[in-house]
Amino acid sequence: MNTPLESKIDAQAKALFSSTYNSLCVDNDRIFSLVLVLQWFACILIAIFVSPRTWLADMGTVHVHVWTAIVLGGLLSALPIYLNLRAPGKVINRYVNVIAQAFYSALFIHLTGGRIEAHFHVFASLAGFALYRDYRVLLAGTAIVAGDHAIRGIFFPQSAFGVFNTSEWRWMEHAAWVLFEDFFLGYACLRALSEMKVVARKTAEVMAQKDLIEYEVQKRTFELHESRNSVKLLLDNAGQGFFHFNREGKIGVECSKAVEKLFQVNPARMNISDLITSQSQVDWKEQVDLLFNSPMPFSQLKEI
């Protein structure tokens, strides 16, 4: 059974982890917004300068892929960017960002006519998915990529692999390499989350210890204040003049009301030679040194 302190630390650790992870997701949403915009322009440039010659040999005419890049790329970027700006850090954002990014991989591969170099966009995107440190997001992106390769590999092999005829199982080879990368990225996600939780726990323990120390200081201060009030009350009720001073002759803050009534002043922090002027400051210095350095008979002390 957890003690109240342990329960407080657990709650604080969860709050710290949640806050840190939310900040991480907000930053990732901003990164994806920027990447999606840049990819949109990149797709348009590829459609203008690469797609016509890829799909139509040496003909340099503007291909329908230009409009595909403009319209489809714009649609892929619009919704994620809107959500990222409207409510950064929300759970739905990471899934929408990942889905859009996965389809951008498909669009890049299609616009380049299935060139093998374009498939590296998939592996770069997987690394981007792992920024969220959520294996579920990583699996969602993997499912989109694998599904896209399967459908286009079977029905539109030129779009996916740049050839008219290919094995209907070729997409599985690509999917296997994606899963191979997912193994390491998934492990990295779990490890990073675990480390974040450990850091949050340690921070919560330090904060709890700090709060405990502050509580003890406040408690001791209150007890000291109460003790001083009790001493002062005792001195005041005694009807006698009491005060204390240090080796330098400086009077302390505690004194009875009888002293204030006798001298018509609060002697706190005054020098004893200024309060009792029957002797010079030099004589008082000698008497104080004698008092602190060696025992003095009460009869002699009474006459000072």
Side-chain angles (χ1 to χ4, degrees):
M1 184 176 181
N2 290 343
T3 63
L5 179 60
E6 291 176 343
S7 299
K8 180 180 179 181
I9 292 176
D10 290 339
Q12 186 69 33
K14 290 179 181 178
L16 289 171
F17 172 78
S18 178
S19 176
T20 303
Y21 187 73
N22 183 71
S23 298
L24 174 70
C25 291
V26 170
D27 291 339
N28 290 339
D29 289 348
R30 293 171 180 168
I31 292 174
F32 269 97
S33 296
L34 176 61
V35 170
L36 291 171
V37 171
L38 295 178
Q39 288 179 145
W40 185 23
F41 288 109
C43 284
I44 296 174
L45 293 177
I46 291 174
I48 294 174
F49 296 105
V50 178
S51 291
R53 300 187 184 279
T54 299
W55 286 84
L56 300 177
D58 293 330
M59 295 177 61
T61 58
V62 176
H63 196 270
V64 67
H65 291 156
V66 175
W67 298 110
T68 301
I70 294 174
V71 177
L72 184 57
L75 291 175
L76 289 176
S77 299
L79 179 59
I81 293 175
Y82 169 75
L83 293 177
N84 293 339
L85 294 177
R86 181 174 178 271
K90 291 294 184 180
V91 176
I92 190 175
N93 293 8
R94 68 195 72 162
Y95 287 98
V96 174
N97 287 332
V98 164
I99 292 173
Q101 184 67 15
F103 277 116
Y104 256 114
S105 294
L107 183 58
F108 271 113
I109 295 172
H110 174 74
L111 292 176
T112 58
R115 291 176 58 179
I116 192 63
E117 292 85 355
H119 287 262
F120 287 106
H121 188 276
V122 172
F123 297 102
S125 297
L126 290 174
F129 302 162
L131 291 176
Y132 285 105
R133 302 181 184 182
D134 187 344
Y135 70 91
R136 295 167 296 184
V137 173
L138 185 62
L139 291 177
T142 301
I144 297 295
V145 171
D148 166 68
H149 275 65
I151 295 174
R152 289 195 296 145
I154 296 173
F155 299 103
F156 308 101
Q158 187 181 10
S159 172
F161 306 116
V163 294
F164 288 101
N165 295 306
T166 185
S167 170
E168 62 181 9
W169 303 109
R170 184 176 178 181
W171 67 272
M172 295 187 65
E173 179 182 353
H174 290 256
W177 286 112
V178 170
L179 291 175
F180 180 71
E181 182 180 2
D182 281 348
F183 172 79
F184 295 101
L185 293 177
Y187 173 77
C189 289
L190 295 176
R191 181 68 179 269
L193 284 178
S194 177
E195 291 176 351
M196 289 178 63
K197 291 179 180 179
V198 170
V199 172
R201 176 75 183 189
K202 295 297 183 183
T203 304
E205 290 176 352
V206 172
M207 295 175 64
Q209 189 67 26
K210 179 182 177 183
D211 292 341
L212 183 60
I213 292 174
E214 290 179 352
Y215 171 76
E216 289 295 330
V217 170
Q218 293 176 357
K219 179 180 177 182
R220 297 299 181 186
T221 302
F222 177 78
E223 291 175 351
L224 179 60
H225 181 72
E226 289 295 311
S227 177
R228 292 174 62 179
N229 287 340
S230 299
V231 172
K232 183 171 178 55
L233 183 62
L234 179 63
L235 295 177
D236 291 341
N237 291 333
Q240 301 292 324
F242 294 99
F243 66 88
H244 64 91
F245 55 90
N246 59 17
R247 182 182 291 271
E248 287 72 31
K250 186 72 68 176
I251 300 175
V253 295
E254 300 296 339
C255 61
S256 63
K257 287 188 177 296
V259 174
E260 297 182 28
K261 184 176 181 181
L262 176 63
F263 293 100
Q264 298 299 311
V265 66
N266 186 345
R269 296 186 176 88
M270 293 178 58
N271 194 285
I272 192 171
S273 61
D274 297 329
L275 183 66
I276 303 177
T277 58
S278 61
Q279 299 188 46
S280 66
Q281 187 170 357
V282 176
D283 293 337
W284 270 117
K285 184 66 170 57
E286 294 177 354
Q287 296 289 351
V288 170
D289 289 340
L290 179 61
L291 177 63
F292 277 90
N293 292 331
S294 61
M296 179 180 293
F298 180 76
S299 59
Q300 183 178 356
L301 180 62
K302 183 174 61 175
E303 296 175 357
I304 297 178

